[in-house]
Amino acid sequence: MDKKASNVINIWQAKQERDGRDNLAEFVNFAKTELTLYNEQGWEAERWKPSKGQALVFGFQEEGNNYSEVELFKQPYLNFVKAFIKQQMTIKEITSAHIWISMFRLLYKALLSQYPNQAPCILNVNGQTLKETNTLIEIEKYSPMRKYHIGGKLKNLADWLVNNNFVLTLPKYKNPFRKPAHTAEQVSEEGDKFREERCPTMHEMLTFADCFSKAETVADKYYTSALVLLCFAPARINELSGLTIHSLQEGDDGGWYLVWYGSKGFKDHRKGVPELMLDVVKKAFQTLKEISEPARQAAKWAYEHPSEFYRHEGCITAKTHSESMQMSQKEFAYAMDVVGTLHHTNKEVINTPVKWINAFLAKNELTYERLNQLVHDKYKKNDWPYNPKSERPVWENLLLIRDLELKPRSSTKRFSWVMPSVDTFNNQISKKDKKMSTLWERFGVFNEDGSVISLTTHQFRVWLNTHCKRGGVDDWKIAQWSGRADMKQNAAYDLRTAQEKNQLAKQLMVTSYEESPSALALTKANLPVPLKSLGFNREGVADFTGIGFCTHDFAQTPCTKAGECVTCKEHVCMKGVPETLDELEHLEKLISEQYVAAQNAAGDSVFGADRWVTHLGWKLAHIRTLIHRMTDDELDDGAIIRIPVEHDPSPTKRALEDKGLQSEFGGQKDNQVAKNAIGGATMSQLLGIC
């Protein structure tokens, strides 16, 4: 027997180890062959450039020098990182993918330290590797927020490795780095400075409104109209790309709203347009619709006529000029909107340093067919012909424009269609590009102290959120209005001063157990309101009805009014309670419509209609009087308003009065708030018709 052959020994391997290697090989092969993202950049490339965000470098590079040599990860670690990144970005391409790379670099260092004589492999990751990576994260000069994010990516990777049978023995990993308090929540000089600078002043917001009203050029109308759509409700500028020409709609209740696509977990929803801003929003929407029409026509033509070049009004060729027929240089210049490149002495010849034009001239490919291919290659995006946010055709996009249409002293490409980027808008309200004037510069406006105005599109969202908190709007409503899936994120947009935030707490603090906070303070804090806070000498709490508080003693009898709270003597309203005035005004509108209908029916002698006129008139009178009292500047917030007992006599009192008798308790009251009651007015005065 051959001695060499007799020394060959097959070592048994645990099944989970074989499964891990098999899974790794299959996963890498799947990413290479099945996932198409970044295929044009090549699997062997040392970096991939996403459509948005930083370049993803698969190794180590000199910090701050993008042109320095890259020290690539070693195999098989490199292939796994590429496969993992490719899959994650295929699921959702994010701008923060570079944090994954930062985590993989530190994990790579930990593997090298733990296994210095082995090639780094993801299958070698264990509990000690994770601990070593934590140490490396800790000693890096990262901000606390960056460490928190990298730790979160490491946790996601550890869970993924276990769930996909790569490393079954990996212990449960928890991110040890806590998320730091947002700067908006910090009680420090830095926090105070951040809040002061981050939230726009009323002067800046009014200045923007002035720019919108005075806009004359196409560019100014476009920019101000788009930014107006960030002012009627909190939104992110990238969400505007999901709006279509059909987004502004009228609801069944007569209110208007925009169909909106939230970018962070809050998908399609409706953003109601406040009545005070309805005319402004309609004007801005119509302006954007008109400006985008030429671009939308070009996009629709490209879809309906994929093999024909869009013959815009600038084309000078004959109508019989076919797609494959050769053009002159002059005809080419007019078709491609590069008329300025024509020679100043010979207008039939192009004279330009632009490389792509010279390449066309050299190859003699001046045909509409070739130009059409160029247009489609440049302007058709991956999701063509649909907008991935609205899932509607691109030619319905509200903010679609033609290439270079808004750039001063540039020739608009009338055959094109593009969507502006976030930077396009930010450059208009903050000075970033020295060659481009801002909106404020073109209108000659400054801050009150004479300094230059500089904002970001996100600050409009901050301003609305902050003023909502100042107005006492509930957190869940702010989150819903802002398009947030997580209500906790409201805190980062609440830029009230520390004094403002503590104001409610001070109102709730009492000096002794015998005292009680005001009913208004308790209501704003969403706390139960004791009956004693409303002036009733009785134990228990009042039930909030949406327009006030029910003080009925349900321990004695059930409600005898069947929900007719506005005409009940045991129901009180309070000035200053958020949204109660809006509810009363809405109720007034509904009852007014019913009252008019009853009057018309009574005029036509419909049986029983006169009874409804009396009933609805009585109800409407009290609603209008409550509204009048709640809008009275002489009444302070917290003032309690109720109808007088005489307007709502009990069944016992009615029976006694029918017999000509008086109740001995008729003049007594169980509270001290009669001074704000409705009284001393005729029916006509209550209705406001005389």
Side-chain angles (χ1 to χ4, degrees):
M1 180 180 291
D2 187 359
K3 292 183 178 181
K4 187 175 182 180
S6 65
N7 290 332
V8 176
I9 301 173
N10 292 325
I11 303 299
W12 178 85
Q13 295 176 334
K15 185 176 185 299
Q16 63 266 24
E17 292 181 6
R18 298 200 308 274
D19 288 345
R21 281 201 301 271
D22 292 343
N23 284 340
L24 178 58
E26 290 177 10
F27 177 58
V28 171
N29 182 64
F30 169 79
K32 278 185 177 181
T33 59
E34 300 294 331
L35 302 180
T36 60
L37 191 66
Y38 309 135
N39 276 358
E40 73 283 356
Q41 302 183 44
W43 178 265
E44 300 301 329
E46 63 184 19
R47 74 185 73 209
W48 287 338
K49 184 67 178 76
S51 59
K52 50 185 178 180
Q54 300 180 19
L56 306 177
V57 180
F58 299 105
F60 300 91
Q61 190 176 28
E62 183 182 342
E63 188 175 353
N65 187 356
N66 295 330
Y67 301 99
S68 62
E69 185 178 352
V70 176
E71 182 186 346
L72 288 172
F73 297 137
K74 293 181 180 180
Q75 297 290 9
Y77 190 84
L78 175 61
N79 277 344
F80 172 78
V81 173
K82 286 187 173 182
F84 187 86
I85 290 293
K86 196 173 186 181
Q87 176 169 278
Q88 292 299 116
M89 296 292 273
T90 299
I91 297 171
K92 184 178 181 181
E93 194 169 18
I94 58 176
T95 58
S96 58
H98 59 279
I99 298 180
W100 279 111
I101 298 297
S102 297
M103 182 275 296
F104 278 121
R105 286 172 180 161
L106 297 175
L107 184 65
Y108 183 83
K109 289 181 179 180
L111 285 170
L112 284 177
S113 174
Q114 190 175 0
Y115 304 101
N117 299 322
Q118 296 185 30
C121 179
I122 199 68
L123 300 180
N124 292 336
V125 173
N126 54 30
Q128 184 59 38
T129 314
L130 298 179
K131 290 181 180 179
E132 180 66 24
T133 307
N134 283 343
T135 303
L136 293 175
I137 297 174
E138 183 64 46
I139 63 177
E140 283 287 343
K141 295 180 180 179
Y142 291 140
S143 66
M145 183 63 77
R146 182 66 177 262
K147 291 180 180 180
Y148 165 76
H149 285 310
I150 293 177
K153 297 299 184 187
L154 184 59
K155 179 187 184 306
N156 293 341
L157 176 66
D159 292 343
W160 189 90
L161 291 174
V162 173
N163 295 337
N164 290 279
N165 295 335
F166 276 73
V167 186
L168 296 179
T169 58
L170 199 63
K172 188 71 175 177
Y173 176 78
K174 183 179 179 181
N175 185 0
F177 303 99
R178 296 183 60 183
K179 185 177 182 180
H182 193 277
T183 313
E185 303 174 82
Q186 293 179 8
V187 184
S188 62
E189 291 184 5
E190 181 184 0
D192 292 339
K193 184 179 179 181
F194 176 84
R195 285 185 286 270
E196 182 179 353
E197 295 178 351
R198 184 67 172 165
C199 188
T201 64
M202 186 62 73
H203 171 78
E204 289 170 332
M205 297 300 293
L206 293 177
T207 297
F208 166 70
D210 196 40
C211 292
F212 171 72
S213 66
K214 293 179 179 179
E216 295 182 357
T217 66
V218 172
D220 287 343
K221 287 182 178 180
Y222 180 88
Y223 291 129
T224 56
S225 296
L227 293 173
V228 159
L229 300 183
L230 301 181
C231 295
F232 82 92
R236 307 171 187 88
I237 188 66
N238 66 313
E239 294 173 348
L240 295 185
S241 61
L243 295 178
T244 73
I245 55 176
H246 310 297
S247 291
L248 184 61
Q249 299 179 18
E250 184 177 10
D252 296 334
D253 58 354
W256 288 78
Y257 60 88
L258 274 171
V259 179
W260 207 274
Y261 181 95
S263 60
K264 290 190 177 180
F266 205 97
K267 298 296 181 68
D268 289 324
H269 61 286
R270 296 179 177 184
K271 282 191 181 291
V273 182
E275 190 173 349
L276 287 174
M277 286 200 68
L278 181 58
D279 291 339
V280 175
V281 171
K282 282 185 175 180
K283 180 182 177 182
F285 193 89
Q286 184 61 31
T287 299
L288 292 171
K289 193 173 178 181
E290 292 171 358
I291 293 175
S292 66
E293 185 175 1
R296 291 187 283 106
Q297 288 178 351
K300 191 172 184 180
W301 172 275
Y303 175 75
E304 295 178 345
H305 306 84
S307 59
E308 298 179 36
F309 182 80
Y310 181 58
R311 307 292 179 93
H312 52 81
E313 59 272 20
C315 295
I316 61 174
T317 53
K319 294 183 179 180
T320 57
H321 195 105
S322 67
E323 295 296 308
S324 58
M325 188 181 298
Q326 195 74 12
M327 291 189 295
S328 68
Q329 292 189 19
K330 181 178 180 180
E331 289 171 336
F332 166 81
Y334 275 88
M336 296 302 287
D337 281 314
V338 290
V339 179
T341 62
L342 291 172
H343 200 281
H344 67 281
T345 58
N346 185 358
K347 298 297 184 182
E348 299 295 329
V349 178
I350 291 177
N351 181 27
T352 176
V354 181
K355 292 182 180 180
W356 73 267
I357 295 180
N358 289 330
F360 264 68
L361 297 176
K363 294 180 181 179
N364 200 24
E365 295 180 335
L366 304 183
T367 64
Y368 279 128
E369 183 178 25
R370 186 68 184 91
L371 298 185
N372 191 53
Q373 292 176 3
L374 179 71
V375 170
H376 285 233
D377 290 343
K378 183 172 183 179
Y379 299 111
K380 281 186 178 179
K381 302 302 180 183
N382 294 334
D383 300 295
W384 173 266
Y386 297 103
N387 180 345
K389 289 188 175 181
S390 64
E391 298 181 354
R392 298 293 303 167
V394 169
W395 53 86
E396 291 184 5
N397 283 11
L398 180 66
L399 270 70
L400 205 67
I401 54 175
R402 295 172 293 182
D403 205 0
L404 302 180
E405 186 167 11
L406 305 180
K407 191 174 181 180
R409 298 181 297 279
S410 297
S411 179
T412 301
K413 306 302 179 185
R414 286 173 280 189
F415 48 80
S416 64
W417 62 94
V418 295
M419 284 294 293
S421 66
V422 173
D423 288 339
T424 302
F425 291 101
N426 279 324
N427 287 339
Q428 288 298 309
I429 55 179
S430 59
K431 192 65 174 178
K432 294 183 178 180
D433 189 343
K434 294 182 179 180
K435 298 180 181 179
M436 184 180 296
S437 63
T438 66
L439 192 67
W440 322 114
E441 289 173 338
R442 293 196 294 275
F443 283 90
V445 293
F446 300 90
N447 274 316
E448 292 175 295
D449 60 0
S451 60
V452 176
I453 297 177
S454 181
L455 300 174
T456 65
T457 56
H458 217 58
Q459 285 181 265
F460 291 92
R461 182 176 174 87
V462 170
W463 187 84
L464 285 167
N465 274 256
T466 300
H467 280 268
C468 280
K469 290 296 293 183
R470 285 173 177 161
V473 181
D474 293 334
D475 273 328
W476 72 270
K477 285 191 176 181
I478 293 177
Q480 185 184 45
W481 194 41
S482 303
R484 295 191 188 99
D486 186 0
M487 192 171 67
K488 295 178 181 177
Q489 296 174 356
N490 286 350
Y493 294 83
D494 180 10
L495 299 191
R496 294 175 298 164
T497 63
Q499 291 80 4
E500 288 178 300
K501 291 180 179 179
N502 291 332
Q503 186 175 4
L504 183 59
K506 290 180 179 178
Q507 293 174 355
L508 293 174
M509 295 295 289
V510 294
T511 57
S512 68
Y513 290 108
E514 297 178 356
E515 297 181 11
S516 174
S518 69
L520 182 60
L522 291 168
T523 304
K524 288 184 176 181
N526 294 321
L527 296 173
V529 177
L531 291 169
K532 291 183 178 180
S533 295
L534 297 173
F536 291 84
N537 189 20
R538 195 170 78 240
E539 296 297 326
V541 296
D543 292 324
F544 185 61
T545 64
I547 58 175
F549 301 90
C550 174
T551 63
H552 180 70
D553 189 353
F554 289 92
Q556 293 185 358
T557 60
C559 175
T560 60
K561 299 292 292 185
E564 288 289 328
C565 298
V566 291
T567 58
C568 178
K569 65 176 178 293
E570 294 185 299
H571 183 271
V572 299
C573 293
M574 184 186 302
K575 185 181 178 183
V577 175
E579 302 179 11
T580 55
L581 183 59
D582 293 337
E583 293 294 333
L584 281 170
E585 289 174 342
H586 180 64
L587 185 61
E588 181 202 15
K589 181 180 178 181
L590 297 177
I591 302 302
S592 296
E593 293 173 355
Q594 297 177 26
Y595 179 68
V596 172
Q599 280 187 317
N600 294 335
D604 294 336
S605 300
V606 176
F607 178 75
D610 55 338
R611 296 291 183 92
W612 278 106
V613 171
T614 303
H615 169 72
L616 293 171
W618 179 252
K619 187 175 182 179
L620 183 60
H622 288 86
I623 295 173
R624 287 179 173 173
T625 308
L626 285 170
I627 293 173
H628 173 73
R629 297 291 282 162
M630 293 186 75
T631 55
D632 188 352
D633 293 336
E634 294 184 1
L635 279 182
D636 297 328
D637 284 350
I640 297 172
I641 308 168
R642 61 175 294 178
I643 72 168
V645 175
E646 292 79 9
H647 285 209
D648 184 28
S650 66
T652 302
K653 186 173 182 178
R654 289 176 182 174
L656 291 172
E657 288 178 348
D658 287 342
K659 297 180 179 294
L661 302 174
Q662 286 288 334
S663 169
E664 61 179 296
F665 304 105
Q668 296 183 7
K669 295 180 174 60
D670 60 351
N671 60 74
Q672 305 297 323
V673 295
K675 61 180 180 180
N676 289 326
I678 300 169
T682 65
M683 174 65 75
S684 297
Q685 289 172 334
L686 290 173
L687 286 171
I689 57 177
C690 68

